[in-house]
Amino acid sequence: MTFGAILDALLISPLKLFFEIIFQLAYEAIRDPGISIICLSLAMNFLVLPLYKRADAMQEAARDTEAKLAKGIQHIKKTFSGNERFMMLQTYYRQNNYSPLNALKGSVSLLLEIPFFMAAYQFLSHLDILSGTSFGPIANLGAPDGMLTIGALTINVLPVLMTLINFISSAIYLKGFPLKTKVQLYALAIFFLVFLYDSPAGLVFYWTLNNVFSLCKNIVFKIIAVHKKDRVREKKERRFKVNWKAEPDRKSFLAAAVFLTVLTGLLIPSNFIAASPQEYVVAGIDFNPIWYAVRSLCLAAGVFLVWFSVFYWLAGKKGKVIFERAMWIFCGMAVINYMFFGTKLGILSSVLKYQGGLLFTLTEIIANPIVLVLSGIVMLVIAIRYVNLPKTVLSVAAAAMLLMSFINVHGINASLKDVHPQEKKTGPHFELSTEGNNVVVFFLDRAMGEYMPYMLKEKPELKEIFDGFTYYGNTISYGGHTNMGAPALMGGYEYTPIEINKRDTEPLVEKHNESLKVMPVLFQNNGFNVTVCDAPYANYKWIPDMSIYDEYPEINTYVTKGFFGDTKDRQQIVDQNMRNFFCFSLMKILPVEIQTGMYDGGHYLAAGSGGNGVSQIVLNRSVSRGMSGAFMEPFEVLENLVHMTDVKNGKTDNFLFLYNDAPHEPMMLKEPEYMPASQVDNTEYDKAHEDRFTVDGRKIRIEKSDQMIHYQSNMATLLVIGEWLDYLKKNNVYDNTRIILCSDHGYYLYQTQELQHTVGGKILDLGNYYPLLMVKDFNSRGFESSDEFMTNADVPTLASKDVIKNPVNPFTGKRITADEKTAHDQFILTSHDWNVDYNNGNTFSAGTWAAVTKNIWDRSDWQFIKDKVVLKEHAMPKE
């Protein structure tokens, strides 16, 4: 960040953010940009009214003092000269407790107006939602109004009207003011006319409304001043009879401001980034996520150290004491909200969205206000009885948080030291031969097996598209998250969670990496040309560390995610997070009831959010605006499969492994095409095709938007892969290609009643362990569905069948077979401890185990075992 950017973050950006939040709150309630601007103007003017009122009082006091001293100053200037005049003036000022710097108090209102104007200009001049929007006689709020046309001359009426109102307001306000002050304000009015003449009508409309408010304010204040003139002396006498026990303590205010700055600007952002640093690295962008914390720190400092200080400085003696105590209480409430409420909200994505939404328990909703009120009372008593204690506590706490933040930053840097932005030197590509054996494994993260029957009902043409495939509708995975579900898929039954835990002297990351290498090395050792794309969690890195294959130079490796996307869209993700991290921190310290509104579906009240290719607002299960960059990145990889495919004549054998997480990052899509669109309204289609979610009497619930977008993203993934399959057919490499579509896990969306079990008083959705498994063998025809019991650990066996004789794990020497599936119950680890930055010891963290024999749909076939259990009686046989 440059010095200018830091200065902007300290002075202008906090105000701009405040403008944005107020505008968006109004817009979400009214859905009219013009009325939202009126609400913004009213809200801002009423909120800063005490500020301007106090500034006017300071100006009046400064003018009175200057008038009182004017005769003496004039006499000294007339009588003395040079150094003697300077010394006499200084003495005269000192005798009257006056400093020449006090003259600045006469310009306080003007100085305050500048940053507010700059913030309004930055916000409203670039607000996309105003473009093309009419309001009353204004044809386009996003362009100059041009309301008056005389021949070939077009006149913008709003700037002229704004200036006239400004002149009238100034004439009322400046009555009795010195000529110098009048010249300043009239010149400022003319400056605004010139500067804003060609500005968007929305901005000029806002500033005109401000001038109308100022005019009304000046008229009202003048009337009030006349009526109060005779009571001023009496009021002053009463005021001085008040015996204030507490004196303002600037250090108390400063300690609270620093505390809030460090908490929201550094500790909270660095805590969440440090939980999974590589997740916040954007492919193709040379950017360290620590800058998110830096930006957040600047915004927090701007809010709490700069603008709160302005309010504090302008406050009177009583106001300062109230301010200090309110800040002390707010600090306590902030800690309570952050540390004790909303601590189990689920997985937070790299764009600061909770996967299951911001859902608080009923206990939290009820308890939060009670706890806050009680703690507020206690803290107020402490502030009154122990005046010096708050600043001491806050200073020590701020220092401790600063230390914790530095530890976080060091940990983030350490985690990112081996991560480098993807370089676009050679595009990802792989070969398929026309006469050899091609084996393709598509690992589709969170592709859900339970959807397939319903997708086939909606689109029967899928059976033709996936000609030769068998859908296995009775398949389990061994964990509900990639760290637990992927190893078995990649390496087979030796890498289920229970088998990994038995090798308790080896780090999890080494066993995970070993599983990722089993199939690639096996196929390479048997003469196949091998390509691996995006090995999941390689080296336990969010951006896969493909160096785990360096000792096998003949294996081609690529990171495809982010390669095909628009750099501009990826930069928008960074820009969005630069804003939202502070908003996220602010949300975390607010009361629970306010957090939901501030969260705003993960958009944090960003004006016009969801209007670009980075973020999407889902209004209901059928309507959305904007597109999610998290979905578009992997989806664009699938769209480019044809371009990545190199068809070669000959008998070369080829093996391709490609990981893709489009189903894992769901987005609402346009039906029935299931394609991305910036504006989606599927209301009519959804209503007409509601029966698609019932097959043979079994219904899946698609009542919530999260359920709908998962279904849509799974459908879109299959359709776009279908386009690639059509390419293979046209290029005569379909029949000699074995294709496996598989997943590491499903997701717990509680859509199918038959898959829900009550365990320990909580409902466990087995849909989380129901992955997609579809297999097309060589020269196969037709589409089939099978109820055979399968697991995703069958993938290595299915991939190597008949093309590798007696396949053996190249790292353990054990045969790769599916015999374990029928030898004993299969044990699924139902833990949600997905974060490999913490769950990275020698064994997986403790959790409930689910045992199943042969049928995911049969409730009697399931058993649940509490806590981590190593069942040695079920160990795999030694070779």
Side-chain angles (χ1 to χ4, degrees):
M1 292 175 68
T2 63
F3 177 75
I6 293 174
L7 198 62
D8 178 81
L10 289 172
L11 295 176
I12 310 301
S13 291
L15 295 178
K16 181 182 172 184
L17 183 63
F18 194 42
F19 276 51
E20 190 173 14
I21 289 172
I22 292 175
F23 177 88
Q24 188 63 14
L25 285 171
Y27 180 75
E28 289 187 357
I30 302 167
R31 313 305 296 180
D32 186 298
I35 298 178
S36 298
I37 291 176
I38 296 174
C39 294
L40 173 64
S41 176
L42 288 172
M44 290 301 300
N45 277 287
F46 276 113
L47 286 169
V48 302
L49 185 60
L51 196 66
Y52 278 106
K53 189 176 180 181
R54 176 61 182 164
D56 289 344
M58 293 176 67
Q59 286 178 283
E60 186 177 355
R63 288 194 303 271
D64 290 345
T65 303
E66 288 175 3
K68 178 182 175 182
L69 300 179
K71 190 177 290 186
I73 292 172
Q74 187 177 4
H75 172 72
I76 292 172
K77 287 183 177 180
K78 192 174 183 180
T79 307
F80 303 97
S81 62
N83 288 334
E84 190 176 12
R85 175 195 289 177
F86 176 78
M87 295 299 294
M88 290 297 293
L89 282 172
Q90 292 299 310
T91 302
Y92 184 61
Y93 291 151
R94 188 168 58 253
Q95 288 173 343
N96 288 276
N97 298 315
Y98 177 79
S99 167
L101 292 176
N102 287 358
L104 291 175
K105 292 181 179 180
S107 303
V108 170
S109 293
L110 180 61
L111 293 173
L112 282 174
E113 197 163 349
I114 293 172
F116 276 90
F117 168 75
M118 292 177 67
Y121 184 84
Q122 287 184 14
F123 173 57
L124 291 171
S125 291
H126 303 94
L127 189 57
D128 292 338
I129 202 171
L130 300 182
S131 182
T133 302
S134 62
F135 183 71
I138 306 171
N140 185 357
L141 288 169
D145 64 87
M147 284 193 286
L148 182 61
T149 302
I150 303 175
L153 179 64
T154 300
I155 299 174
N156 297 326
V157 175
L158 277 177
V160 177
L161 180 63
M162 173 193 72
T163 306
L164 290 175
I165 295 171
N166 207 349
F167 277 160
I168 296 171
S169 178
S170 297
I172 296 172
Y173 176 72
L174 294 172
K175 189 175 181 180
F177 279 56
L179 179 62
K180 181 179 72 172
T181 305
K182 292 180 179 180
V183 170
Q184 284 179 348
L185 285 184
Y186 286 127
L188 186 63
I190 294 172
F191 165 78
F192 278 126
L193 171 63
V194 175
F195 187 77
L196 295 178
Y197 185 77
D198 288 320
S199 294
L203 172 63
V204 185
F205 179 50
Y206 170 80
W207 211 251
T208 302
L209 291 171
N210 282 1
N211 288 343
V212 170
F213 187 92
S214 180
L215 173 61
C216 296
K217 179 194 71 174
N218 290 338
I219 292 172
V220 171
F221 281 5
K222 284 292 181 182
I223 295 172
I224 293 173
V226 170
H227 285 287
K228 285 190 173 181
K229 189 172 182 181
D230 297 331
R231 294 183 292 171
V232 169
R233 182 179 301 278
E234 180 186 351
K235 185 177 178 182
K236 285 186 177 180
E237 288 173 356
R238 287 202 309 266
R239 183 182 301 164
F240 282 106
K241 286 180 181 178
V242 177
N243 181 23
W244 282 98
K245 294 182 180 180
E247 294 292 326
D249 184 356
R250 187 171 57 185
K251 291 182 180 178
S252 291
F253 164 78
L254 188 61
V258 170
F259 177 90
L260 290 171
T261 298
V262 176
L263 176 63
T264 60
L266 203 55
L267 181 66
I268 294 177
S270 65
N271 268 350
F272 280 88
I273 296 171
S276 185
Q278 294 161 50
E279 184 179 356
Y280 295 96
V281 175
V282 180
I285 300 290
D286 188 8
F287 178 83
N288 190 318
I290 287 175
W291 285 109
Y292 290 142
V294 173
R295 171 71 175 180
S296 184
L297 179 62
C298 290
L299 283 171
V303 171
F304 299 114
L305 287 175
V306 175
W307 283 106
F308 272 36
S309 294
V310 170
F311 278 84
Y312 180 79
W313 176 63
L314 290 172
K317 177 181 176 181
K318 179 181 177 181
K320 283 184 169 67
V321 174
I322 293 173
F323 212 125
E324 292 162 8
R325 290 175 178 174
M327 289 280 280
W328 158 248
I329 293 171
F330 182 51
C331 288
M333 291 181 174
V335 172
I336 291 170
N337 289 325
Y338 173 55
M339 293 187 65
F340 302 107
F341 292 90
T343 57
K344 296 180 179 179
L345 293 173
I347 299 172
L348 185 72
S349 75
S350 60
V351 290
L352 303 179
K353 288 187 177 183
Y354 286 102
Q355 288 191 7
L358 191 72
L359 300 175
F360 293 98
T361 64
L362 182 61
T363 301
E364 288 179 313
I365 293 171
I366 295 173
N368 184 255
I370 297 172
V371 172
L372 293 183
V373 169
L374 293 176
S375 64
I377 294 171
V378 171
M379 295 187 73
L380 179 60
V381 171
I382 291 173
I384 294 172
R385 296 194 61 181
Y386 307 99
V387 178
N388 293 321
L389 184 61
K391 62 184 175 186
T392 303
V393 171
L394 292 174
S395 298
V396 172
M401 291 192 302
L402 199 60
L403 178 61
M404 288 187 284
S405 300
F406 286 145
I407 294 172
N408 286 340
V409 169
H410 179 269
I412 294 167
N413 269 329
S415 179
L416 297 176
K417 65 180 180 180
D418 296 323
V419 176
H420 304 286
Q422 180 182 339
E423 298 179 2
K424 294 194 175 184
K425 293 180 179 178
T426 304
H429 65 280
F430 52 86
E431 293 183 5
L432 297 178
S433 66
T434 56
E435 299 178 59
N437 291 320
N438 303 307
V439 178
V440 176
V441 176
F442 279 171
F443 181 148
L444 304 172
D445 198 332
R446 201 192 280 179
M448 301 177 66
E450 62 181 304
Y451 285 151
M452 197 62 201
Y454 307 94
M455 291 191 287
L456 289 171
K457 180 177 181 180
E458 180 181 358
K459 290 190 176 293
E461 63 269 27
L462 285 173
K463 291 185 178 182
E464 183 179 348
I465 292 172
F466 287 89
D467 181 36
F469 275 83
T470 298
Y471 159 65
Y472 291 96
N474 184 23
T475 302
I476 65 165
S477 63
Y478 289 90
H481 301 279
T482 302
N483 58 327
M484 291 167 273
L489 185 155
M490 295 294 297
Y493 287 92
E494 290 185 75
Y495 300 93
T496 63
I498 201 166
E499 297 299 329
I500 284 178
N501 277 359
K502 290 171 186 175
R503 294 166 57 179
D504 56 7
T505 60
E506 305 167 61
L508 284 172
V509 62
E510 291 184 7
K511 290 175 282 192
H512 182 87
N513 289 344
E514 183 179 293
S515 73
L516 296 181
K517 293 186 284 187
V518 170
M519 281 195 289
V521 174
L522 172 66
F523 277 90
Q524 187 209 30
N525 290 345
N526 283 272
F528 279 69
N529 177 29
V530 176
T531 301
V532 179
C533 299
D534 308 88
Y537 279 12
N539 228 9
Y540 270 11
K541 303 291 186 184
W542 188 264
I543 296 179
D545 180 4
M546 304 302 282
S547 68
I548 67 170
Y549 299 100
D550 282 354
E551 58 185 303
Y552 308 98
E554 293 182 2
I555 294 179
N556 305 300
T557 61
Y558 300 99
V559 175
T560 64
K561 188 175 180 180
F563 185 89
F564 297 100
D566 188 346
T567 302
K568 181 182 177 182
D569 286 344
R570 293 198 295 276
Q571 184 60 49
Q572 284 182 336
I573 294 174
V574 173
D575 295 341
Q576 175 181 282
N577 277 354
M578 290 286 270
R579 170 199 183 272
N580 286 353
F581 254 105
F582 173 67
C583 296
F584 173 78
S585 298
L586 201 58
M587 179 201 76
K588 295 295 290 182
I589 68 170
L590 294 174
V592 164
E593 287 294 338
I594 300 177
Q595 285 191 36
T596 303
M598 183 70 187
Y599 179 67
D600 186 30
H603 301 285
Y604 303 94
L605 296 174
S609 55
N612 52 41
V614 173
S615 108
Q616 182 181 69
I617 286 184
V618 178
L619 301 176
N620 55 53
R621 76 166 200 154
S622 299
V623 182
S624 70
R625 68 176 187 267
M627 297 191 295
S628 166
F631 173 82
M632 291 305 300
E633 272 194 340
F635 189 70
E636 284 162 348
V637 175
L638 298 178
E639 287 185 311
N640 281 276
L641 283 173
V642 170
H643 302 293
M644 294 165 60
T645 306
D646 236 345
V647 175
K648 300 284 188 182
N649 292 322
K651 297 184 178 181
T652 306
D653 294 332
N654 299 283
F655 173 78
L656 166 68
F657 170 84
L658 187 144
Y659 167 89
N660 187 277
D661 62 347
H664 191 282
E665 305 293 343
M667 180 179 88
M668 185 162 287
L669 300 161
K670 187 177 183 299
E671 297 170 337
E673 301 89 352
Y674 290 94
M675 290 299 292
S678 58
Q679 301 290 331
V680 173
D681 187 348
N682 296 322
T683 305
E684 293 301 321
Y685 183 86
D686 288 340
K687 186 177 180 180
H689 295 82
E690 194 66 39
D691 65 335
R692 61 187 153 155
F693 300 127
T694 302
V695 174
D696 296 332
R698 180 178 288 162
K699 182 176 181 178
I700 55 168
R701 286 195 294 269
I702 306 289
E703 300 164 356
K704 300 177 180 178
S705 57
D706 197 32
Q707 296 168 334
M708 179 62 84
I709 63 176
H710 273 84
Y711 175 84
Q712 292 178 341
S713 299
N714 274 260
M715 176 73 89
T717 298
L718 289 185
L719 290 175
V720 74
I721 290 175
E723 294 176 6
W724 178 71
L725 297 180
D726 188 54
Y727 171 80
L728 299 189
K729 294 170 186 175
K730 291 177 180 178
N731 286 272
N732 301 315
V733 289
Y734 190 71
D735 287 341
N736 65 314
T737 301
R738 172 181 287 161
I739 304 171
I740 302 174
L741 306 182
C742 54
S743 176
D744 51 346
H745 56 83
Y747 196 46
Y748 46 97
L749 292 168
Y750 302 96
Q751 295 174 278
T752 306
Q753 186 64 39
E754 291 87 344
L755 294 176
Q756 296 176 35
H757 291 249
T758 301
V759 182
K762 296 181 179 180
I763 297 177
L764 180 69
D765 183 12
L766 298 181
N768 200 28
Y769 317 100
Y770 188 177
L772 177 69
L773 181 60
M774 294 173 62
V775 181
K776 185 200 83 70
D777 215 337
F778 302 115
N779 300 306
S780 57
R781 284 288 179 268
F783 184 91
E784 296 182 1
S785 295
S786 172
D787 291 329
E788 179 185 353
F789 180 54
M790 303 289 285
T791 80
N792 61 359
D794 288 325
V795 170
T797 303
L798 293 168
S800 59
K801 180 184 176 183
D802 296 332
V803 295
I804 298 176
K805 188 177 180 180
N806 298 322
V808 173
N809 185 328
F811 302 100
T812 66
K814 292 184 179 181
R815 286 183 298 111
I816 295 177
T817 71
D819 294 344
E820 285 299 305
K821 182 171 57 181
T822 56
H824 52 72
D825 289 350
Q826 299 305 301
F827 290 90
I828 301 169
L829 181 55
T830 67
S831 165
H832 290 300
D833 199 354
W834 59 272
N835 194 329
V836 294
D837 287 326
Y838 301 103
N839 193 0
N840 60 6
N842 290 351
T843 60
F844 290 114
S845 302
T848 299
W849 294 82
V852 62
T853 304
K854 58 183 179 182
N855 194 343
I856 190 173
W857 296 99
D858 186 353
R859 287 177 177 272
S860 64
D861 199 36
W862 288 84
Q863 299 179 46
F864 298 94
I865 306 169
K866 192 68 176 172
D867 212 346
K868 181 170 62 177
V869 178
V870 177
L871 303 176
K872 294 183 179 179
E873 63 271 25
H874 294 303
M876 293 184 66
K878 295 181 179 180
E879 293 294 325

